[in-house]
Amino acid sequence: RHAVCIFYLVLRALDTIEDDMTISLDVKVPMLHEFHSYLYQPEWKYMESKEKDRQVLEDFPTISMEFRNLSKVYQDVISDICHKMGVGMAEFLEKKVDSQHEWDKYCHYVAGLVGIGLSRLFSASELEDPIVGQDTELANSMGLFLQKTNIIRDYLEDQLEGREFWPREVWSRYAKKLSDLAKPENIEMAVQCLNELITNALHHVPDVLTYLSRLKNQSVFNFCAIPQVMAIATLAACYNNKQVFRGVVKIRKGQAVTLMMDATNIQAVKAIMYQYVEEIYQKIPSTDPSSNKTQQIIASIRAMSLPGSPMASRHHYSPIYLSCAMLLAALSWQYLSTISKATEEYVQAGEN
């Protein structure tokens, strides 16, 4: 728990530097490259950030002290991932995401490495078998599936803030500029582009299911599975949906609570994946340029996740487990609702 907490805070500090547009590149690039070394410098902190999360930089000596109190095996993982991520972030500061290969590479740096680092921590703690931390390809896919889902869903928000993460290789087949996809006259092409990117993201689902099937610890499983089922539900909501280019697409609160409650074992997760890829399948337009590829990847996911009796184990849950799960769900959605409301207000402000 402590290792995961410190891992999060260290990466939050690194991300705050990357996001801060007031730091000049000649200052920012060396900071990103060297950030992992600051973990071993008790006095290092940065007081000039203008970002909302600047406290993690201003109070970094507190974080680095706790980092140095961790077991060396945890320190080595966090420092290594921090180093690789800083180098990757610096690489993409001055270039846009062009090819689909570069899209995978960018998502690897900002999310795949998180999946790899967490997996190594799970194995180092001996809560999970060594293979979980060793199989970096599967761990990377866990991060890429979540990151691509966020990038796809957040098209409009990123456009309003001047950020572009959709790969040029894909969107350039549908528009001259990425921003053109938001124009009403281009909505048909925009939705086709959206569907192609969702199809790309779905290719990570088989890896996700294989990864989750290896987990033995219940807490680790819940921690890993809940974001993944939220992601597949989000992609199903976004697929062939014009609203992605007009506002915020999000899953219903009750739907999210149900996912949190149900995603407690691999059979349940397979059933959830099956349900949402079926939902996507039913929405595939026959005229969509990606329809064959979408059908093919859905067939692969179906083969891995044929439902048996996925919810049969629900009556085995103890009352205390259900109470804790509902409390977790309520607290999570209180936080997520606040974030969603802020995003909606920002989008509305942009439209006005």
Side-chain angles (χ1 to χ4, degrees):
R1 185 178 63 213
H2 289 160
V4 171
C5 174
I6 298 304
F7 188 33
Y8 168 77
L9 290 173
V10 168
L11 296 187
R12 170 56 56 211
L14 179 63
D15 194 49
T16 301
I17 290 174
E18 184 208 19
D19 287 344
D20 194 332
M21 303 307 291
T22 67
I23 305 175
S24 63
L25 286 182
D26 60 332
V27 173
K28 185 184 290 191
V29 170
M31 283 179 73
L32 292 174
H33 278 277
E34 298 300 321
F35 195 83
H36 67 288
S37 68
Y38 303 152
L39 292 167
Y40 298 97
Q41 299 176 28
E43 304 303 320
W44 188 90
K45 57 185 175 182
Y46 186 73
M47 304 299 292
E48 297 169 40
S49 176
K50 303 297 188 291
E51 284 292 295
K52 65 182 186 304
D53 294 326
R54 61 185 177 273
Q55 184 182 354
V56 289
L57 295 172
E58 294 171 353
D59 292 344
F60 198 76
T62 305
I63 297 171
S64 66
M65 178 183 68
E66 293 296 337
F67 165 83
R68 292 187 300 276
N69 286 336
L70 294 173
S71 300
K72 185 177 184 301
V73 65
Y74 294 145
Q75 289 185 38
D76 290 347
V77 171
I78 294 171
S79 176
D80 180 50
I81 296 297
C82 188
H83 186 196
K84 290 173 179 173
M85 188 177 289
V87 170
M89 285 176 166
E91 180 183 334
F92 277 90
L93 277 179
E94 294 189 276
K95 72 175 184 180
K96 292 187 176 181
V97 179
D98 283 329
S99 67
Q100 292 184 67
H101 173 73
E102 283 188 337
W103 197 36
D104 281 0
K105 192 176 183 182
Y106 171 76
C107 292
H108 163 73
Y109 284 139
V110 299
L113 283 171
V114 180
I116 291 168
L118 285 169
S119 300
R120 288 167 62 185
L121 292 178
F122 298 152
S123 293
S125 69
E126 299 185 355
L127 292 174
E128 299 295 346
D129 291 339
I131 187 63
V132 173
Q134 291 165 358
D135 195 333
T136 56
E137 188 172 338
L138 292 190
N140 188 59
S141 283
M142 293 284 285
L144 263 61
F145 186 57
L146 300 183
Q147 186 67 21
K148 287 182 177 181
T149 298
N150 289 341
I151 287 172
I152 290 166
R153 179 199 61 199
D154 293 342
Y155 165 83
L156 192 61
E157 179 185 342
D158 286 338
Q159 279 294 303
L160 291 172
E161 296 191 8
R163 299 188 299 247
E164 293 190 355
F165 298 114
W166 284 25
R168 178 187 294 271
E169 180 185 341
V170 175
W171 64 254
S172 62
R173 292 198 287 270
Y174 301 92
K176 290 183 178 179
K177 294 187 298 183
L178 183 55
S179 57
D180 288 345
L181 295 178
K183 296 178 180 177
E185 63 268 25
N186 297 328
I187 193 63
E188 186 176 336
M189 297 295 276
V191 169
Q192 290 178 1
C193 181
L194 169 70
N195 291 348
E196 181 173 345
L197 290 180
I198 289 175
T199 300
N200 176 296
L202 289 174
H203 281 82
H204 298 293
V205 173
D207 278 357
V208 167
L209 292 174
T210 302
Y211 180 97
L212 292 174
S213 70
R214 290 176 174 171
L215 301 179
K216 296 179 178 179
N217 180 276
Q218 187 68 58
S219 293
V220 172
F221 185 90
N222 294 356
F223 181 80
C224 294
I226 289 173
Q228 302 294 333
V229 296
M230 294 288 193
I232 192 69
T234 300
L235 289 183
C238 289
Y239 185 81
N240 210 49
N241 188 349
K242 299 174 182 178
Q243 188 62 25
V244 172
F245 303 95
R246 298 170 177 167
V248 181
V249 174
K250 55 186 178 183
I251 57 178
R252 301 185 311 277
K253 292 182 182 180
Q255 185 181 359
V257 171
T258 300
L259 290 170
M260 290 180 186
M261 295 287 290
D262 289 342
T264 56
N265 61 77
I266 188 60
Q267 287 309 121
V269 170
K270 285 182 176 180
I272 292 167
M273 292 290 187
Y274 188 96
Q275 171 193 339
Y276 284 110
V277 295
E278 280 298 303
E279 188 177 309
I280 292 172
Y281 184 82
Q282 296 302 323
K283 295 193 288 187
I284 299 174
S286 58
T287 55
D288 191 273
S290 304
S291 60
N292 287 340
K293 288 183 178 179
T294 311
Q295 290 167 357
Q296 286 170 9
I297 185 57
I298 286 177
S300 298
I301 297 168
R302 278 174 174 161
M304 290 187 71
S305 56
L306 289 172
S309 51
M311 305 307 169
S313 62
R314 287 185 67 171
H315 65 277
H316 295 304
Y317 297 161
S318 67
I320 187 67
Y321 180 84
L322 284 172
S323 299
C324 290
M326 289 302 296
L327 180 61
L328 170 65
L331 291 172
S332 298
W333 269 97
Q334 182 180 20
Y335 171 74
L336 290 172
S337 297
T338 304
I339 297 299
S340 295
K341 185 178 179 183
T343 301
E344 284 177 4
E345 288 172 353
Y346 188 91
V347 170
Q348 289 167 4
E351 288 172 349
N352 293 337

